[in-house]
Amino acid sequence: MSPDANKLSPYRVPKRWEGSRVPGWDDPVDLTKEPAPIPDPATTTVPAELRAEIEALITKYPDSRSASIPALKAAQKHHGWLPPEAIEQVACVMRLTPAYLIAVASFYDMLDLHSGSYTRSRVYVCTNITCSLRGGRELLKSLEGELGDLADIELRGFECLGACDIAPMASVDGVYVGPIEGDDVATLATQIRQGDEPLPDKQLLKRRSADPGANSAEVAS
Amino acid sequence: MSTYLIFKDIDEPGLHKLETYRARGGYKNLEKVLAMPPEALVNDLKESGLRGRGGAGFSMGMKASFIPQGQMDKYLVCNADESEPGTFKDRELMQKSPHMLIEGMIMAAHAAGANRSFIFIRGEYEQQADILDAAIAEAYEAGLLGNNIAGTNFSLEMVVHRGAGAYICGEETGLLDALEGKRGNPRLKPPFPANQGLYQGPTLINNVETLATIPHIVEMGAQEYAKLGVEKSSGTKLISISGNVKRPGNYEIELGISSREIIYGLAGGPPDGETVKLWFPGGSSSPVLTEADLDLPYDFTSLADAGSMLGSGAIIVVDSSNSVVDVCLWLAEFYRHESCGKCTPCREGTNWTVKMLERIQNGLATPMDLDIMASIQEQIIGNCLCVLGDAMAMPVGSMIAKFRPEFEAHIEQARAQNPYAGEDDAPELAVLQGAVV
């Protein structure tokens, strides 16, 4: 499967459809090859910035292995996705095998082992039950129509993002926006295309509590 | 008139800052609590009747009392994974009042004797994690975290650990594995985390809301807190209402008020002209209830007696304009995606449930498939290491039981539209859907 196939499908990683959930599950394996060992620091070049970040993460935990998810996220930020050399670099700093890190990374939806090229922006559209009740799936389709030509943007349907109060919603590089209705779709698409702040008026952080009794009169005003 | 504890003046500007939180009386009981013997605090928690707000509803005080005594590395973990569809209360709480959680965690850590604590927050909540990081940095600066907190000999480290997108990490042992840097597969229980949890040490795991309630229990006294709500469901609860209602959002209620008052009174009910078809009382994992159940009191016991559960307090309302088969399929697709694959009943059961629902949608099913689907759900429940499979099986099973005529009508209607139905050489479902060429 080429990395770009199904790029914009909400089910880009075919989850156990006719086989395993991992793309490449039926690629032939070279059984004569030795498994990759822990990379040798003398021959592996790790960007200084990334190394410093991972080392700082390791110090936060009693066991260095605990830092593997944050370290993989740091590497993903650095490289735009997780190519084999990124895994190699994390493995080198953390003193783990690449296989271990690939096993971890393939478990989590936000870690990207497959996009095949730098990803500028990650847009998740919630397609879970509440958002589907309020048009989340239609939103995903129309955003796919608007942004389908951009190869460096990951747009996908996602598990419940925990913002059912603003359904239908999307997360643009971690910024939650919603409810996305009517003209907002086109506006949002333009903003994503240009790298602007997504729907500034509809960001979750600016939303006040729905409970009318929660705030006293002076706070509510 | 409802009592507000957690959400009182939640939109006060700057509440996420230590200064504002302190001005409102935050952290003022901390020294008093740290001077108390841990057992006294655990007793207070038991007496308050506080039940876990994450889903299982287990007594918080009991859980804390299971942590063994003595000198060893103990841990406190705050479960901020909140990935149950329909639940978004912890998000608002952490974002607007992070210090309430931090204060609660310091108190809980004292009760459990833990010196290291972690907040496991889901990876998607990047903005909230940043807010927590900033608040923790402020607390360290002010001597509320770190060594010798507030001049006592109690020390506590606190770290925000960001997940990377997996529903299963909300299950406590899956969460511990993810925190140890592994794939988030649940563990066999026992041993329970209270005995052997994070790094094999005794670990107290609680939900954000549970921990954030502790400062309020200390402030008002355990007995006063126990008076709120109803018997066996004491206190206030944050509930998240979403779906087909006019005013979705988080509300703080006293447990025991009627469900109709929540759905129609607070959230404004379904859009005009529609009625409530079904509702999930405690997140997408709870067995569904119908319009006939709207007068149930919203508390742990009443909902359990009605065959459902309060869960995380997330009400999802589905109105009469939706097809129950669609809702069922959306739900099953989610659990298929999120099953970690460790236990066969869940891995295969979620997969086949989706396939059978797709057969219904594509006009390839017969009413017998409904019986098979219902029996699959029965085979899942109670047969896995964790309750993810059950979380699909319970609502799907209840939907089939309560809306069987609608499923049957849908099967007939879809069959009538499918030109291949009933033929021996009908194309495979995958071909019909265009997934396989």
Side-chain angles (χ1 to χ4, degrees):
Chain A
M1 192 170 119
S2 79
D4 285 336
N6 293 330
K7 168 101 186 157
L8 292 176
S9 156
Y11 310 107
R12 192 171 56 90
V13 180
K15 301 288 177 184
R16 278 194 310 290
W17 183 266
E18 306 302 320
S20 155
R21 59 186 288 160
V22 181
W25 64 279
D26 55 350
D27 291 350
V29 175
D30 183 359
L31 292 175
T32 56
K33 213 169 109 186
E34 287 291 317
I38 298 173
D40 181 357
T43 56
T44 316
T45 37
V46 184
E49 228 173 273
L50 182 61
R51 177 187 290 277
E53 200 176 341
I54 297 174
E55 280 169 354
L57 285 168
I58 289 174
T59 60
K60 286 163 74 177
Y61 301 94
D63 177 1
S64 66
R65 195 174 283 223
S66 280
S68 50
I69 297 171
L72 286 165
K73 286 178 109 172
Q76 175 160 309
K77 208 169 169 195
H78 191 89
H79 291 269
W81 67 299
L82 286 174
E85 61 267 27
I87 298 282
E88 194 100 330
Q89 289 162 359
V90 178
C92 174
V93 180
M94 294 194 66
R95 311 310 298 147
L96 295 167
T97 61
Y100 177 82
L101 288 172
I102 291 172
V104 171
S106 62
F107 191 85
Y108 298 98
D109 279 345
M110 293 173 75
L111 297 174
D112 175 6
L113 289 165
H114 301 290
S115 69
S117 66
Y118 184 79
T119 302
R120 176 159 62 97
S121 195
R122 291 181 193 277
V123 183
Y124 303 143
V125 179
C126 178
T127 50
N128 212 290
I129 180 161
T130 299
C131 281
S132 290
L133 286 169
R134 299 183 78 108
R137 290 180 190 232
E138 292 76 24
L139 169 67
L140 176 62
K141 275 207 192 90
S142 36
L143 273 178
E144 277 172 1
E146 299 266 358
L147 297 169
D149 57 319
L150 295 181
D152 57 353
I153 286 187
E154 181 187 53
L155 170 65
R156 58 184 288 201
F158 212 75
E159 65 186 274
C160 183
L161 288 160
C164 316
D165 45 348
I166 55 167
M169 58 80 60
S171 154
V172 182
D173 293 317
V175 178
Y176 278 29
V177 288
I180 307 170
E181 293 154 332
D183 295 343
D184 296 340
V185 182
T187 318
L188 179 63
T190 317
Q191 284 159 340
I192 293 170
R193 199 175 276 273
Q194 294 172 349
D196 294 343
E197 202 187 340
L199 301 178
D201 301 335
K202 290 210 168 180
Q203 290 185 6
L204 177 71
L205 288 193
K206 295 178 184 158
R207 197 178 164 88
R208 294 171 70 92
S209 170
D211 192 337
N215 292 305
S216 59
E218 64 260 38
V219 173
S221 59
Chain B
M1 184 59 205
S2 185
T3 309
Y4 288 93
L5 298 176
I6 298 168
F7 264 15
K8 187 167 184 294
D9 286 339
I10 191 73
D11 283 318
E12 188 169 337
L15 181 56
H16 61 285
K17 293 265 180 221
L18 180 59
E19 199 188 336
T20 319
Y21 183 69
R22 270 206 154 138
R24 271 177 47 165
Y27 292 113
K28 76 169 179 199
N29 294 318
L30 190 59
E31 276 175 56
K32 188 184 94 188
V33 169
L34 294 182
M36 278 163 78
E39 302 78 39
L41 182 56
V42 171
N43 274 335
D44 272 1
L45 290 172
K46 275 190 195 165
E47 209 173 311
S48 72
L50 174 65
R51 293 174 66 165
R53 301 313 198 205
F58 191 74
S59 159
M60 156 80 197
M62 288 292 279
K63 208 177 194 179
S65 70
F66 292 155
I67 304 284
Q69 306 285 324
Q71 279 299 316
M72 59 185 106
D73 285 335
K74 299 179 206 171
Y75 303 93
L76 170 72
V77 176
C78 168
N79 184 345
D81 194 63
E82 191 169 65
S83 26
E84 173 80 6
T87 316
F88 46 90
K89 61 187 174 70
D90 298 340
R91 183 207 73 208
E92 189 160 359
L93 173 56
M94 289 186 287
Q95 170 190 320
K96 292 182 177 171
S97 190
H99 283 287
M100 199 186 288
L101 172 61
I102 297 170
E103 186 181 5
M105 283 184 70
I106 301 170
M107 291 175 176
H110 175 62
N115 294 115
R116 266 182 185 275
S117 61
F118 296 92
I119 301 177
F120 186 101
I121 186 166
R122 61 182 302 187
E124 295 88 343
Y125 283 174
E126 286 174 34
Q127 295 171 307
Q128 288 74 14
D130 290 343
I131 291 170
L132 278 174
D133 269 335
I136 288 174
E138 267 186 317
Y140 268 106
E141 188 110 321
L144 295 165
L145 286 172
N147 291 327
N148 301 91
I149 294 170
T152 63
N153 58 5
F154 180 67
S155 306
L156 181 69
E157 300 293 328
M158 193 177 287
V159 169
V160 177
H161 181 90
R162 300 169 196 224
Y167 171 69
I168 191 65
C169 294
E171 198 280 336
E172 54 182 12
T173 55
L175 183 151
L176 293 178
D177 267 14
L179 193 45
E180 289 179 4
K182 304 172 186 161
R183 291 166 71 91
N185 289 322
R187 304 173 181 172
L188 183 66
K189 289 189 269 190
F192 288 94
N195 289 316
Q196 260 182 39
L198 191 61
Y199 312 123
Q200 300 296 313
T203 307
L204 180 64
I205 307 179
N206 274 115
N207 173 261
V208 174
E209 189 192 341
T210 320
L211 292 165
T213 307
I214 299 174
H216 299 286
I217 294 176
V218 170
E219 166 75 24
M220 67 194 292
Q223 284 163 352
E224 280 300 307
Y225 184 84
K227 283 182 197 158
L228 293 172
V230 291
E231 203 191 345
K232 291 190 179 158
S233 304
S234 67
T236 65
K237 172 91 187 78
L238 297 183
I239 50 166
S240 317
I241 315 179
S242 63
N244 300 126
V245 287
K246 286 181 191 148
R247 291 189 294 276
N250 288 313
Y251 297 84
E252 183 166 2
I253 59 152
E254 255 183 67
L255 287 166
I257 70 170
S258 104
S259 308
R260 188 183 294 276
E261 200 179 322
I262 299 172
I263 294 174
Y264 280 91
L266 293 173
D272 296 329
E274 304 288 350
T275 53
V276 174
K277 181 175 204 166
L278 59 96
W279 54 290
F280 297 81
S284 71
S285 307
S286 55
V288 300
L289 296 174
T290 60
E291 195 173 16
D293 305 305
L294 276 176
D295 288 313
L296 280 175
Y298 196 77
D299 62 59
F300 287 100
T301 334
S302 309
L303 290 170
D305 291 345
S308 190
M309 59 191 206
L310 187 135
S312 55
I315 299 179
I316 308 172
V317 177
V318 179
D319 74 17
S320 43
S321 67
N322 294 284
S323 150
V324 71
V325 184
D326 283 345
V327 174
C328 204
L329 179 58
W330 295 334
L331 203 68
E333 275 178 352
F334 167 73
Y335 289 103
R336 172 177 73 169
H337 181 101
E338 296 301 333
S339 170
C340 80
K342 189 168 179 172
C343 311
T344 311
C346 167
R347 181 185 66 239
E348 298 301 321
T350 52
N351 193 24
W352 282 101
T353 303
V354 172
K355 285 191 179 188
M356 297 183 78
L357 284 162
E358 284 174 343
R359 277 172 64 84
I360 294 179
Q361 296 279 37
N362 287 291
L364 293 165
T366 64
M368 199 182 81
D369 286 292
L370 279 183
D371 293 326
I372 301 174
M373 211 158 74
S375 82
I376 290 177
Q377 313 311 319
E378 282 163 26
Q379 301 294 327
I380 297 174
I381 293 176
N383 289 332
C384 304
L385 287 188
C386 83
V387 294
L388 188 143
D390 301 27
M392 180 202 71
M394 291 189 295
V396 169
S398 71
M399 272 189 257
I400 297 174
K402 289 183 178 167
F403 292 91
R404 194 172 176 107
E406 190 180 331
F407 274 97
E408 284 169 350
H410 195 103
I411 288 173
E412 287 313 315
Q413 198 192 349
R415 277 177 70 83
Q417 284 167 1
N418 179 8
Y420 299 106
E423 284 178 26
D424 283 344
D425 57 348
E428 282 293 313
L429 178 64
V431 178
L432 279 176
Q433 289 186 325
V436 175
V437 184

